[in-house]
Amino acid sequence: MRTNKAICAIVTTAAALCANTAHSQNFPSQPIRIVVPFSPGGGTDTLSRIVAQHLSIELKQPVAIENKPGAGGTLGGALVAKAPADGYTLYVASTATAMTPALYKDLSYEPIKDFAPVALIGTTPFILVMNKNVPAVSLGEMIALAKAKPGGLSYGSAGFASVNHVGMELFNSMAGVDIMHVPYKGSSAAMVDVIGGRVSMMMDTIGSATQHIKSGNNLRALAATSSKRSTLAPDLPTVSELGPNGYELTVWYGLVAPKGTPEPVLRILNAAVNKVLANPDLRERYTSLGTEPVSSTLESFAALMTSEEKKWSDVIVGAGIKTQ
């Protein structure tokens, strides 16, 4: 009896392996959909459509975008987590995805356990900008002013639990300052009040912040939030260079698949994404969005997702950040 069970188990495993191999050899043989957890027209949506367009050419199959906004991106995440693990349904994960487990206690899925990383598709650094009327001309002077007057400076964000809210709370913690949070309904509204001097500063994407600075608005760029200087603003030092050392806020975007997707399929997709990221047309369009293409392996992307979830969970719990 035990021998028969063992034989059956071996046969079943072999059959599954053969099926996966056949599936991988034929992949892709039908259209692929990429679920974007935000509304059409936003930065994530635009970036995803650029990638989808190039992937459809590389994979010789239609690659369609499906927008599933709602609940901070978790509706789309839940949809993909429960989708067939065949490589034909992908999800655009991001830094916000790494923050969701700490923000949503009733989340129906776990990003690390329920998604298989496919590939990074790009990163967007932020710039810390400040109204020029604040009596400080450098990051060091701003930190000194904030320490001298706790709560005397303020920062705007796109709303409670937004990336620039959580990122500034990490800055508060690492710099040992108490800069007051003023939430808005979107980054654009926050930027209007920074320019107008109603709040002191904010972290905004490099594309948006640079546009406002070049337009002659009443802003001062203090530092980039990436770990190293951005190719999009190479003359601007980073927060980590100026202090606090080790600070980083870089929004990353990547494609993930449902857990259980065959590894050969994941590697086919990973190779295709890395190839299109080298396309000159894609890179030019990325630059216009303030985004940098970043290639990755399955393993490096998996490590990034794990480290980012731990990092932002600690910040969110430590600062007592909750969704509104």
Side-chain angles (χ1 to χ4, degrees), residues 235-254:
D235 295 331
L236 185 65
T238 67
V239 172
S240 185
E241 283 181 66
L242 303 174
N245 183 48
Y247 180 88
E248 179 187 7
L249 170 65
T250 301
V251 176
W252 53 265
Y253 307 91

